[in-house]
Each structure stands twice: as C-alpha cells, then as structure tokens.
Amino acid sequence: MAVNLSTPNPADLLPVPGVRLGVAEAGIRKANRRDLTVLELAEGSRVAGVFTKNRFCAAPVQLCKEHLPQGGIRALVINTGVANAGTGESGLAHARQTCAALATELGVAPQQVLPFSTGVILEPLPVDRLVAGLPKAVGALRTDGWFDAAHAIMTTDTLAKAVSAQVQIGGRSVTLTGMSKGAGMIKPNMATMLGYVACDAAVSQPLLDELVKEAADLSFNSITVDGDTSTNDSFILIATGQAGNAEIVDAAGADYKALRDAVVSVAIRLAQAIVRDGEGATKFMTIAVEGGRSREECRQVAYAVAQSPLVKTAFFASDPNLGRILAAVGYAGVDDLDVSALRVWLGNPDESVLVAEHGGRAGSYKEEAGARIMAHAELTVRIDLARGDSAATVWTCDFSYDYVKINADYRS
Amino acid sequence: MAVNLSTPNPADLLPVPGVRLGVAEAGIRKANRRDLTVLELAEGSRVAGVFTKNRFCAAPVQLCKEHLPQGGIRALVINTGVANAGTGESGLAHARQTCAALATELGVAPQQVLPFSTGVILEPLPVDRLVAGLPKAVGALRTDGWFDAAHAIMTTDTLAKAVSAQVQIGGRSVTLTGMSKGAGMIKPNMATMLGYVACDAAVSQPLLDELVKEAADLSFNSITVDGDTSTNDSFILIATGQAGNAEIVDAAGADYKALRDAVVSVAIRLAQAIVRDGEGATKFMTIAVEGGRSREECRQVAYAVAQSPLVKTAFFASDPNLGRILAAVGYAGVDDLDVSALRVWLGNPDESVLVAEHGGRAGSYKEEAGARIMAHAELTVRIDLARGDSAATVWTCDFSYDYVKINADYRS
C-alpha cells in the first residue's frame, strides 16, 4: 500500500526529444512479465551517472563505471528479476555480452551501452534469455515509451514511478522526464536503486557531471526505507541537447540554475515516490533537521531518526512516541550535542506542534495534539539542533507487519 | 518467544557475600507489579560501571556518573515502568530525591547510592510512589534475593535473566552472580540496558574499572536487537571483597586472569540472554567476523549484517538469503574491501557450510544445505575478510511480525 502515490497518467509523461524506449518480456526470472527495457539515445546525447558505493557492487555497475567515462553513450539496457550482483567473473562476462548484443542490434559499439540489473542477488544472470529478448525491445522503441518502461523496471514496487516537467531555458522549452524503481534495500549511498532522468537541454559534460551528483545528494541520497544500501544503485542523468538552447557552460548563470532546479525537483519527486512505495509503508515521513554545524551532522541525526525501528514502528501505530525520537537523536553520534537547547516539532500538512524542548517534553504539548497529527499519512519531524546554520532533510516511511511479510516471503 | 532461554532455577543463583537484594511493588506505572529493586552492598565493596553514550542519557545515569567516582557505594536502586529520561531538571531532582530517601532508610549518604530507571522515556517519574515503596524493598533485603530481583527489573522481557559462577582465586572460592534486563532498544554503546554482576573477590579499584570496560566490550557492547541505543544503558560490576582472597592488584597475574575470565563469561551469558529474549525473536544469530585489519572494522561488518532488516527478516523466514548478507558486508564501510577474497560460512551447532567465495556463491554450496542449516534456531554467520588477523563477534536475533507488534503496541 503506497502512501499518496498513484500510477502516473500516461499523457502526463512527456517524450524527451532524442530518447526512445522499448520493453519486452524476456522471461529473466518469471514468464509473462515485462522485465527488459532499452533506452536509445540520439547521437550527441550526454550522460552522467552516480553509482552505489557498496563494495559488492553489481557487474553492470562495474561496466557502467568503465563505459561512462569514454563518452558517446547511445543506449541503456535494464533487466529486472536478477541483479547480477555477487556473481564474480562470470557476472561481468554476462554484462559484457549484454552490451555487445544490444550494440550489434543498434549498430553502435559495446562501450556505448550502459547495462543495469535489479532483482535477486547471487543468482546467475540468464544472459541467453536476455539477449534473445533484445530484438523485441528494440523493435518496440518509441518516444512515448516512458509509461511502459517505468512499469518494466519494477520489482517489489507496487506502482510505477515517473514524472515530467518543462522549463524555459534560453528562450527554449526544455522537457525533462524521469523514472525510478525501488521499494526495499533502500538506503542509497551516492545513488539510488535505479533512477533515470532525461532532458533535451544542451549542457556541457562537466556541468552535467556536477548536476548528477548534486541532484542525487538532494534526492535519492536523502531517502531510506530499511537502511540497506543496495548493490545495484544507479542514478543516470541524460541530456540529448535537442531543445535548441545555447549550450549551458556557466555554472553561475541563470540557464544552469533553471536546469538545476528542474532536475533536482524531478529527482526529489522520483526519490520520494520510492519511499511512498516503500515495502509495507503506511506513512510518509519527512525528517527535517536544522540548526546544525554542518549538513553532515544534520544528515546523521535525520538518518538516525529515519532508520530507528522503534521510531518507525511507533509511526506505524500512529503513536506520537517522542521518547524514541529523542533517543535516536541522542545516539546519532553528535557527541557534544546540548540536548537542553534542542527543539522538536511534530507536524502534518495541516499543523505543526512543538513537542520537546529543555531536554524533555514541551510544557505546552498535549497528547491529543500528537494523536491528531499522527492520524495523518504525511508526517514531519522537525528538529532544531540550535548550534549552527546547516540543515538537511531525509524522507522515510514507517515499519509495518507488511515489511516483514514482504521480506520474509520475497524469494519464495 | 525467547530462543533457547528459560527462567533460571532459583537454586542455581548463588548468594554473593556482601550483597543483599529486596524488591517491592511501588505502582510506578502499573499496579500489582514488582517494579522496585534495592541492592545493598556491604561496607568496603568496590563498584565500577559503564553507561550509555546516548546524549539524551537519563537522569539516573547522570547521577551515577556523579556518585560513582566518589567511591564508597553502598546501595543501588532500580525502578521499572518509567525511564526518567528526557525529563530535564525535574528528572534530575527526582533521581536525587530517590537517592536521598534510600540513603536515609539505610543510614548512608545520598552519594553512596546509585539510581537506575528503565521504561517509558519522557514520562515524569512518580517519585512519591517510588519513595513510598522503598521501606518495603529494604525490609525484604536478603542474600538470596537475586531470583526476585531479576524478575523485578524486567520490562518487555519475557524471561528473567540471571546466572552464577564460581572460580578459585588465590586458594579461595569466589562467587559471581549477575542479572540483566532488556529486549528492545538494544544496541548498547559502551554499556547495556541494565546489567549487574556482583562478586565477592577482593580486587583493586583500578583493576575493577578496567575489567568493567573489557567485560562490557566483549558482552553487552557486542549485541544488538534493533540498533537503537537506549538512553538508560548501564552495566555495573560489584566486588564486595568478602571471599578472603589476597587483593588482586596485578593485571598480569593469574588471579586477575581467573577473575577476568569468570566475569567476562558471566557478562556474555547475560548479554546473550538479552538477545535470546529480543523482542519477537525466533532465531539467535552469532555474527563472527575474522581476518580483519582491526577489531573495529570486524565489528563494523558484523553490525552491518546484524542490523540489516533484510538479513533479519530472511532469517525469520529461515531463508538462506546470501545476497542480503553479502550486500550488508559490502555497505559496512570497509572502503577498500576486496570482495573476491572474502569467504562466508553459514552454520548451526551441527554443521557449517562455505556459502560464498570469489565474489559470489561458493561452487560447492547447495540450497538444500542452506535450508537444512537455517531450520535450526541457533545460527552462525562466519565471515573471513582475508586481510588481517583481527576478529570480532556480535550476537543478534531475527526480525519478526512480533517485533512490529510489540513496538506498535508498547505504550498502549
């Protein structure tokens, strides 16, 4: 059950000039399931990406890191069902075979293809079935394929996640469309499960490389479902350059700012969609920490609260259990934190109430107010550390019976 | 449902000369429940302790840190129901009032009393009811009070946790008895929920101070239930000096080694008992990491596996989901880890099987073996990092529906 998330309207997903998408049923792990997606990029497209820091990073992630710096990327291929992670040398060979097969199909070089896999770890990739499915995916390529692609990259997701935006840059209308997937093993570290944002802006490669990092940091790297960092996290930003704007080369200029704001906004919506569809989620929680000495310590505190199983189960029960929030703040690792200066608010879209100050419960706080706020599915915990000017926000979901059910059953 | 843990046999809990215990029903949070415990220590007893590093540490923990260095501790007072944490200045006043009242009752000074509280955070301590219950607890003091005390300090625990041991030191028989409590909000940081070990050995204060840290590190600081570090963790080591042995003053001598081994062994059994009785636990898991460059990196890896909700739910399902274990090892933060050298074994008390090597699943591994091993309630994950000589062990339990149920219901 996703929190305030619904299937995107196909008509709301705007084609991005220069990007075509096609999907197929390759029978990777289960029959009769769309599990193979190809993105074809027009010549001249620029691509930037960030990837998981998990040391057991998947074979396709290793290949992406090898191919991406060579430039000239012309296609992406994504399979679900099997993650091709923890598969050693043969996994790497399978990923190379995948790239080579798609390259032949499209008449490009293998290193112009980026491969992505998501699904069960440690299982060998059935590369023959994958390769056999490629012609069908390529035959299905079309500019309005985002809706189907967003569905074909799902695993334990209950809903497809895709959004579009348009922004004026240099007198031209620039279109952005993105999609993401992921519901469990979600605590991205410098990237996410799988996230893709394409736009038709013309932008220099150095600025695109900078933008993908900043956007990842503010979106996918600010969410957690269960604190588990996946082996396959990847976030890819594509700029096809077909919007006709003058190439953006100045990081301080208005054009870059407009593009940056649009990309960050799309990335945040896609990242939040992953949390809203988090395994077993019944609440969507924003943990906003301010007044820190650094963004890093604010993130530390926000993640401690967002990952606490005790906080998450209390929110599942709609129980305003402030003690568990304060305990998590207390063990977040900010060693010289003055708890008597700290203040905490609990809120929903309708109201926000001061709940803790002076090292304890706020005098003005009434349990009824807490109960009233917690009855909402969209909740905010705002924490003022009162020791600096930095801030950070992390999004997470609650911890329900269904999380256990989903993860105790996943492989069966 | 606790994992291979049963109520201690009262006859197995040996009195420690110099220690008397008494309990009472003070009605702290609920009526008709033993919720107040007093330990009286004979004059000349030495006490050492370690406490939570949570910045929201409870008022009684703050007082313990103030009283303990002054020496001459003669009594401990422990209440359940309310943690007296996140209670600001009034909480501290309540803890002082508690010490003063017990001191009057026993004819000692207030700073000779150590207070402990466990229960709900942020609730004011009903100090009047606590103080009113003290005469009854003092009236009940007796040397064979460990069994009752171990029950009276329980909160969400389903079973009392207490063990005894005897060891020969300097030609004298030294008796150790300890008790602990805790089932949730368990990831002690330099201490535990509540753990007490008393012995009658004569040992110098500096050695006792050293021993309490080492024993905590190898026992309570090596367990996790849910990764939440409590506000009230305390581990106290008492030496009454009544065994008649020559005072132990040499850290390199055989006497200290004998005492150290006995204390560590008792502390490990008490710490493991907390995990066996972990909220909703159905499996008891030992995560043993070896071949690390430092004990700290071994602990990092062990805790990453032990705290992964995905690993814990897989173990609940008796699913040998190796991918989740490898993913957790991969994100544990050992940045230069060579995953191709790493090896992982899965075991129970009857057998141990190599499951991963060369960056993937071991060629010899069969799913039947994994399934057979996982059917046991006592499981071991052994991980060889293959990069050094250090090792560390962490104990944890699985993550079940009942964990969610217990923590979604706890305050109601």
Side-chain angles (χ1 to χ4, degrees), chain A residues 258-274:
Chain A
L259 179 66
R260 180 244 178 234
D261 289 352
V263 168
V264 167
S265 161
V266 166
I268 286 178
R269 284 162 67 193
L270 291 172
Q272 289 186 348
I274 287 177

Side-chain angles (χ1 to χ4, degrees), chain A residues 58-127:
Chain A
V61 169
Q62 294 174 52
L63 262 201
C64 279
K65 288 181 181 172
E66 184 182 317
H67 291 178
L68 199 51
Q70 302 180 46
I73 299 299
R74 294 295 306 282
L76 281 60
V77 51
I78 309 162
N79 75 271
T80 63
V82 173
N84 196 9
T87 44
E89 283 302 319
S90 66
L92 210 51
H94 290 160
R96 282 191 202 285
Q97 209 178 324
T98 303
C99 292
L102 181 57
T104 303
E105 201 70 35
L106 297 175
V108 300
Q111 67 271 21
Q112 292 181 289
V113 178
L114 299 182
F116 304 86
S117 299
T118 176
V120 178
I121 301 173
L122 273 184
E123 296 284 332
L125 183 71
V127 68

Side-chain angles (χ1 to χ4, degrees), chain B residues 285-310:
Chain B
M285 292 138 66
T286 299
I287 317 295
V289 178
E290 62 192 46
R293 289 205 188 130
S294 66
R295 178 165 157 77
E296 200 39 51
E297 77 173 25
C298 294
R299 281 173 63 83
Q300 249 175 277
V301 170
Y303 267 113
V305 174
Q307 292 185 187
S308 159
L310 291 173

Side-chain angles (χ1 to χ4, degrees), chain B residues 143-196:
Chain B
T143 57
D144 62 350
W146 286 96
F147 184 77
D148 285 350
H151 281 87
I153 64 174
M154 290 165 58
T155 55
T156 56
D157 308 64
T158 68
L159 290 169
K161 302 160 184 75
V163 299
S164 285
Q166 279 190 314
V167 59
Q168 294 297 312
I169 295 182
R172 296 288 179 149
S173 181
V174 166
T175 302
L176 301 88
T177 297
M179 61 181 179
S180 62
K181 65 82 49 182
M185 200 175 271
I186 297 289
K187 188 212 165 178
N189 182 6
M190 307 315 284
T192 183
M193 271 305 271
L194 295 179
Y196 304 90

Side-chain angles (χ1 to χ4, degrees), chain A residues 7-350:
Chain A
T7 301
N9 183 339
D12 290 341
L13 299 179
L14 307 174
V16 177
V19 180
R20 297 199 304 157
L21 309 95
V23 308
E25 293 179 358
I28 303 280
R29 189 172 166 83
K30 292 186 180 163
N32 307 315
R33 195 162 82 167
R34 290 177 294 180
D35 52 10
L36 184 62
T37 302
V38 169
L39 275 77
E40 182 207 47
L41 312 182
E43 202 164 353
S45 294
R46 287 179 175 143
V47 180
V50 285
F51 302 94
T52 183
K53 294 208 166 167
N54 193 309
R55 290 298 302 167
F56 262 101
C57 81
V61 169
Q62 294 174 52
L63 262 201
C64 279
K65 288 181 181 172
E66 184 182 317
H67 291 178
L68 199 51
Q70 302 180 46
I73 299 299
R74 294 295 306 282
L76 281 60
V77 51
I78 309 162
N79 75 271
T80 63
V82 173
N84 196 9
T87 44
E89 283 302 319
S90 66
L92 210 51
H94 290 160
R96 282 191 202 285
Q97 209 178 324
T98 303
C99 292
L102 181 57
T104 303
E105 201 70 35
L106 297 175
V108 300
Q111 67 271 21
Q112 292 181 289
V113 178
L114 299 182
F116 304 86
S117 299
T118 176
V120 178
I121 301 173
L122 273 184
E123 296 284 332
L125 183 71
V127 68
D128 294 341
R129 293 206 291 277
L130 192 163
V131 166
L134 286 173
K136 193 170 167 220
V138 168
L141 286 170
R142 55 204 173 91
T143 55
D144 62 348
W146 287 97
F147 184 77
D148 285 349
H151 281 86
I153 63 173
M154 289 164 59
T155 55
T156 56
D157 306 64
T158 68
L159 290 169
K161 301 161 184 75
V163 299
S164 286
Q166 279 189 316
V167 59
Q168 294 297 312
I169 295 183
R172 298 286 180 150
S173 181
V174 167
T175 302
L176 300 89
T177 297
M179 61 181 182
S180 62
K181 64 82 50 182
M185 199 174 271
I186 298 288
K187 190 214 164 176
N189 181 7
M190 308 315 285
T192 183
M193 272 305 271
L194 294 179
Y196 303 90
V197 175
C199 66
D200 53 357
V203 54
S204 75
Q205 188 69 43
L207 283 190
L208 200 67
D209 292 341
E210 189 179 313
L211 184 51
V212 75
K213 288 195 190 71
E214 185 179 1
D217 184 46
L218 293 170
S219 59
F220 297 106
N221 283 354
S222 293
I223 62 173
T224 183
V225 169
D226 48 21
D228 276 286
T229 302
S230 150
T231 49
N232 291 54
D233 295 341
S234 304
F235 173 49
I236 298 293
L237 180 58
I238 297 161
T240 64
Q242 301 200 354
N245 64 301
E247 184 175 310
I248 304 170
V249 294
D250 177 12
D255 286 359
Y256 181 70
K257 187 177 178 312
L259 179 66
R260 180 244 178 234
D261 289 352
V263 168
V264 167
S265 161
V266 166
I268 286 178
R269 284 162 67 193
L270 291 172
Q272 289 186 348
I274 287 177
V275 174
R276 291 181 187 284
D277 198 19
E279 289 172 344
T282 73
K283 307 273 187 190
F284 176 81
M285 292 139 64
T286 299
I287 317 295
V289 178
E290 61 192 47
R293 289 203 188 133
S294 66
R295 179 166 156 76
E296 200 38 52
E297 77 173 26
C298 293
R299 281 174 64 84
Q300 249 175 278
V301 169
Y303 268 112
V305 174
Q307 291 185 186
S308 158
L310 291 173
V311 170
K312 289 161 92 86
T313 47
F315 274 64
F316 169 55
S318 296
D319 174 10
N321 194 318
L322 309 175
R324 296 182 184 176
I325 296 171
L326 295 188
V329 172
Y331 69 66
V334 182
D335 287 339
D336 54 354
L337 182 67
D338 176 6
V339 297
S340 69
L342 181 133
R343 290 190 300 169
V344 180
W345 292 259
L346 213 54
N348 63 27
D350 301 324

